[in-house]
């Protein structure tokens, strides 16, 4: 079988990975020299802790297994089973963590509620003031800026894999074939369009104007090296408001009695923080849904994030080295993990994982391969 994969972000690259693993010939086409979108502009988190129960959690747990397996074969992914801590600062926040512990699937996630001293034993960098912390053992991380490069380097060792950068697919021609802007036609047994946040042009033409996927913009930043290990990922209680696993009467009470700060509420914020391989901290994020998106980044959200991080670390942040904005594609139905649609004979569109993309892409691609009979 010959598979044409359009898009070299993490979703497209994992589709190529599964196809090659199953013995198929793969041609992967990317309009840039390499992927430049949300697949690089994220935390690199394999984030199990906050996923909705059912299909979303099952997908995340399967993806977590696959990331660990792939990471053992591709060391440059820098897969690390670091877990996460969400410090809580008062009884209302603690009640939300306790409600999460009462979930039937809490054991699958590896939830534990740690005292402040126990949390500091797990992550000594957290010297600030907090009452307790929700620990999720199943969370993990990879390096987002280099993950696709590492996977492609491994794929290129296979004679069945071809990477064609700098080519934009413009047209579907006949069955199982696309034409790029060089005029070349690429024909296979299946074409999979993994185009990320590119929802116009050919995607709109193929899927129609009512594609149930929207674009979301975010802001993030990265610091100079911390100078010590941050042994887990870190979140704050605002993440309870964002992730579906934490919905409970305790969360309703938190929202009623302890609303977000005006800046966090305006920008739909939560704190997520991961240490990079060079020791720097990736910190975010905001969520902007209304179009047209701003073309600039705002300082107030960065100031808020720095204040929260410093309260947990008990020390000033290192110098901010980078700030950026990114855009990802998210299903408008929040219960759907991804939008997978046959748009022409032999041509499928796979898009819209939203913030789940880095976490779930290995399992999303595996499901595509299974459903298409690769």
């Amino acid at each position: 079988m010959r598979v044409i994969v359009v898009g070299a972000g993490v979703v497209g690259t994992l589709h190529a990975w599964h196809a090659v693993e199953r013995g198929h010939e793969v041609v992967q086409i990317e309009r840039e020299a390499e992927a430049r979108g949300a697949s690089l502009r994220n935390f690199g988190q394999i984030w199990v802790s906050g996923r909705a129960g059912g299909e979303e959690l099952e997908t995340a747990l399967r993806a977590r297994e696959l990331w660990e397996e792939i990471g053992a074969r591709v060391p440059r992914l820098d897969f690390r089973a670091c877990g996460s801590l969400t410090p809580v600062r008062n009884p209302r926040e603690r009640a939300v963590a306790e409600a999460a512990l009462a979930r039937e699937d809490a054991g699958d996630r590896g939830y534990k509620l740690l005292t402040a001293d126990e949390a500091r034993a797990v992550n000594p960098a957290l010297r600030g003031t907090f009452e307790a912390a929700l620990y999720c053992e199943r969370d993990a991380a990879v390096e987002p800026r280099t993950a696709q490069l590492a996977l492609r380097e491994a794929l290129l060792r296979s004679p069945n894999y071809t990477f064609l950068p700098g080519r934009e697919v413009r047209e579907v021609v006949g069955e199982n074939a696309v034409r790029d802007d060089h005029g070349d036609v690429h024909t296979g047994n299946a074409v999979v369009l993994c185009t990320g946040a590119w929802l116009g042009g050919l995607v709109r033409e193929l899927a129609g104007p009512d594609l149930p996927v929207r674009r979301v913009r975010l802001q993030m930043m990265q610091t100079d090296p911390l100078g010590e290990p941050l042994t887990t990922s870190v979140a704050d209680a605002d993440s309870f408001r964002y992730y579906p696993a934490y919905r409970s009467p305790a969360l309703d009470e938190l929202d009623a009695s302890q609303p977000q700060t005006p800046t966090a509420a305006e920008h739909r914020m939560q704190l997520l923080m991961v240490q990079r391989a060079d020791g720097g901290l990736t910190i975010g994020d905001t969520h902007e849904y209304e179009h047209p998106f701003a073309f600039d980044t705002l300082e107030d959200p960065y100031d808020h994030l720095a204040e929260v991080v410093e309260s947990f670390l008990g020390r000033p942040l290192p110098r901010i080295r980078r700030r950026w904005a990114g855009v990802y594609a998210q299903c408008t139905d929040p219960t759907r993990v991804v939008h997978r649609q046959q748009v022409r004979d032999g041509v499928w569109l796979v898009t819209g994982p939203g913030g789940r993309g880095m976490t779930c892409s290995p399992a999303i691609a595996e499901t595509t391969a299974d459903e298409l009979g690769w």
Side-chain angles (χ1 to χ4, degrees):
M1 177 180 286
R2 191 169 195 255
V3 179
I4 311 299
V5 177
V6 179
V10 68
V11 175
T13 301
L14 267 299
H15 278 79
W17 178 274
H18 280 288
V20 169
E21 284 290 288
R22 298 180 185 207
H24 305 309
E25 180 184 356
V26 173
V27 176
Q28 187 174 20
I29 306 169
E30 166 58 41
R31 62 179 178 169
E32 304 280 359
E34 58 187 55
R36 307 297 295 168
S39 295
L40 280 72
R41 306 182 196 194
N42 66 79
F43 297 94
Q45 286 181 309
I46 316 305
W47 193 247
V48 173
S49 49
R51 300 299 169 201
E55 179 187 1
E56 184 176 331
L57 177 59
E58 292 168 5
T59 303
L61 287 169
R62 175 56 181 158
R64 167 66 168 75
E65 293 176 4
L66 290 168
W67 273 122
E68 187 164 14
E69 292 172 7
I70 297 169
R73 296 172 54 188
V74 185
R76 283 190 59 218
L77 281 178
D78 198 16
F79 173 87
R80 47 204 186 272
C82 54
S84 72
L85 286 170
T86 304
V88 296
R89 292 166 287 197
N90 55 56
R92 289 184 292 271
E93 293 180 357
R94 183 187 182 116
V96 181
E98 290 172 342
L101 281 170
R103 294 181 59 99
E104 291 184 357
D105 55 20
D108 296 331
R109 303 168 191 267
Y111 280 160
K112 294 178 183 177
L113 187 61
L114 306 182
T115 67
D117 287 343
E118 289 170 337
R120 293 188 186 100
V122 173
N123 191 337
L126 299 178
R127 300 186 184 91
T129 301
F130 54 94
E131 181 177 298
L134 180 65
Y135 176 63
C136 181
E137 181 268 338
R138 297 302 293 161
D139 289 337
V142 296
E143 288 300 295
R145 288 176 178 261
T146 56
Q148 283 73 240
L149 300 177
L151 290 168
R152 188 183 316 134
E153 182 180 89
L155 284 166
L156 285 167
R157 292 197 285 267
S158 169
N160 289 335
Y161 176 77
T162 301
F163 180 60
L164 299 177
R167 294 170 180 256
E168 183 172 316
V169 170
R170 294 287 184 83
E171 182 184 8
V172 172
V173 289
E175 296 183 7
N176 312 335
V178 292
R179 178 182 287 115
D180 66 28
D181 58 0
H182 291 213
D184 294 332
V185 174
H186 308 275
T187 302
N189 301 93
V191 176
V192 184
L193 304 175
C194 302
T195 53
W198 178 39
L199 303 177
L202 179 63
V203 173
R204 182 180 293 114
E205 178 185 328
L206 293 172
D210 299 321
L211 181 67
V213 177
R214 65 178 176 178
R215 300 169 79 235
V216 180
R217 182 179 184 266
L218 52 82
Q219 287 186 201
M220 297 174 61
M221 62 183 175
Q222 186 170 328
T223 73
D224 279 344
L226 181 63
E228 62 180 318
L230 187 78
T231 56
T232 69
S233 300
V234 176
D236 74 344
D238 278 341
S239 69
F240 292 158
R241 309 175 199 269
Y242 186 77
Y243 287 104
Y246 303 119
R247 291 173 188 155
S248 66
L251 179 60
D252 295 338
E253 174 61 26
L254 178 68
D255 284 335
S257 60
Q258 183 183 309
Q260 285 185 292
T261 67
T263 297
E266 178 184 358
H267 298 284
R268 301 175 178 89
M269 296 182 69
Q270 60 174 338
L271 168 71
L272 296 177
M273 177 168 62
V274 184
Q275 190 168 46
R276 299 273 63 93
D278 70 354
L281 305 175
T282 299
I283 301 170
D285 61 353
T286 65
H287 300 88
E288 183 180 354
Y289 301 101
E290 293 77 22
H291 291 249
F293 292 143
F295 61 84
D296 47 6
T297 59
L298 299 175
E299 283 301 301
D300 285 353
Y302 291 122
D303 291 342
H304 169 81
L305 289 168
E307 181 179 346
V308 176
V309 171
E310 289 176 352
S311 74
F312 289 155
L313 296 179
R315 55 168 282 188
L317 267 182
R319 182 180 69 95
I320 305 302
R321 177 187 294 178
R322 301 185 179 100
R323 305 175 193 266
W324 67 88
V327 177
Y328 59 61
Q330 178 188 66
C331 291
T332 53
D333 178 354
T335 67
R336 297 187 62 186
V337 173
V338 72
H339 179 74
R340 188 181 288 105
Q341 176 184 354
Q342 184 172 359
V343 292
R344 292 291 187 274
D345 288 342
V347 182
W348 284 263
L349 173 66
V350 182
T351 188
R356 312 176 186 96
M358 201 69 183
T359 295
C360 293
S361 53
I364 289 170
E366 182 181 57
T367 298
T368 301
D370 290 343
E371 291 187 358
L372 272 57
W374 294 358

